[in-house]
Amino acid sequence: MPNSLKVIFAGTPDFATGSLAAVLKSHHQVVAVYTQPDRKAGRGKKISMSPVKELALEHDIPVEQPINFKSEESLAQLASYEADVMVVVAYGLLLPQSVLDTPRLGCINVHGSLLPRWRGAAPIQRSIQAGDTETGVTIMQMEAGLDTGPMLLTASLPITEQDTGSSLHDKLAEQGAQLLVEALDKLSNNQLSPTPQDDSLATYAHKLSKAEAQLDWQLSAQELERTIRAFNSWPVAYSLIDEATVRIWQANVCQSQTKSEPGVILQADSNGILVACGQDGLLLTELQLPGSRAMSAKDLLNAPKNQQLFALGRQFASL
C-alpha cells in the first residue's frame, strides 16, 4: 500500500482539473491549491475564477493566487503547508528554485508531450500541426529550466487523422490524471527512477497566437489541414475573402493536378468549398462567417449571398 503524501497542487485551466480531481480521489492529501489570479473574461469582462480554483473551492481546499513568488511572504506561505510534493499542471508561472526546493520531495510536472519533444506552452497543438503520429504524457521532476527536468514516468498515445487540438487535449488530460496518481504512489515508496532528457532531441512548442491562425494558401493542403485541426478549438484557423473573416473548423485534403493560384476557389457545392493551395487542394467542409455559427459548407451555401461570396474563381486573401 503506497504511503499518503501531502500535496500542493498548482494549475489553472481545464487541462489541470482532471489531474486535481484524480488526486482528490486518491489516498493522497491535497493541502492547498495554487492557481492564477482571477481575471476578466468573456464579452462582459466579468471577473472569472480559473477552473482549478472552482474545483478546489468545491472541496473546501485553501486556494493561493500569488502574482509571483518574489516576496518572502509568498514563500513563507508555501512552506507553511509542509507539503511532501508540489504537483504542477499547466499552472502558467515559471517557478524559481526557491519554490522548487520548498516541498520535501520537490515539484513534479504533468506535461502533455513525450519529452524532450515539444517543451513549452502548446505541445498538444504543435504535435498535430507538425504531423506527429504519436504523443503522450510525461511526469517530470521540475528544475529551473523550461521543461528540462528528468523524466519520472511516460505514457504514449497515438495521434489519429481525426484528432483536433480539442480532442487531443481531452485525451491527454485524462491520461495525465491517471499517470499522475501512479507517479505519486511510486514516489511515496521511492520507486521512481529519474531519466535525464536528451537535450539534442528537444523541440520547442511556442505559445499559440491569433495572428498565426490566418492560413497561408502558398503552403501545401496537407500542412493547412493539420493547422486547421491543431487550432480547433482555439485560436481557430481563418482566412479573408472580400474583407470578411471566414473561420475554418474542418477541411479535407484533395489531391489535385490543377495549377491555379493559391487561394482560388475551384469548387463550391454540397461537398464543400475546394481551394487551391501551394500543393493539392483543400476542401473546406465546416466554416463560420462573422456573426454566425459554424456550419457545414452545404448549409452555408444555401444562402444566395454566400453563393456569391464563394463563387468559382473567387480568391481568399494571401498573407
Side-chain angles (χ1 to χ4, degrees), residues 104-127:
R104 180 175 64 86
L105 298 172
C107 302
I108 64 173
N109 174 244
V110 180
H111 185 78
S113 80
L114 296 175
L115 292 171
R117 186 162 179 79
W118 301 127
R119 297 172 178 172
I124 298 172
Q125 294 84 356
R126 299 304 180 193
S127 64

Side-chain angles (χ1 to χ4, degrees), residues 2-71:
N3 297 314
S4 177
L5 296 175
K6 293 175 64 177
V7 177
I8 290 175
F9 188 93
T12 299
D14 283 330
F15 184 81
T17 57
S19 289
L20 175 56
V23 179
L24 289 171
K25 291 178 182 178
S26 74
H27 65 283
H28 301 291
Q29 179 189 4
V30 180
V31 295
V33 162
Y34 278 69
T35 191
Q36 288 283 298
D38 299 346
R39 291 190 170 92
K40 294 180 180 179
R43 292 184 178 180
K45 296 299 181 182
K46 295 181 179 179
I47 298 296
S48 178
M49 295 185 294
S50 74
V52 164
K53 180 178 178 178
E54 291 180 357
L55 182 57
L57 293 178
E58 289 175 11
H59 290 81
D60 297 320
I61 300 170
V63 175
E64 305 289 348
Q65 298 178 272
I67 298 175
N68 53 49
F69 288 93
K70 293 182 178 180
S71 70

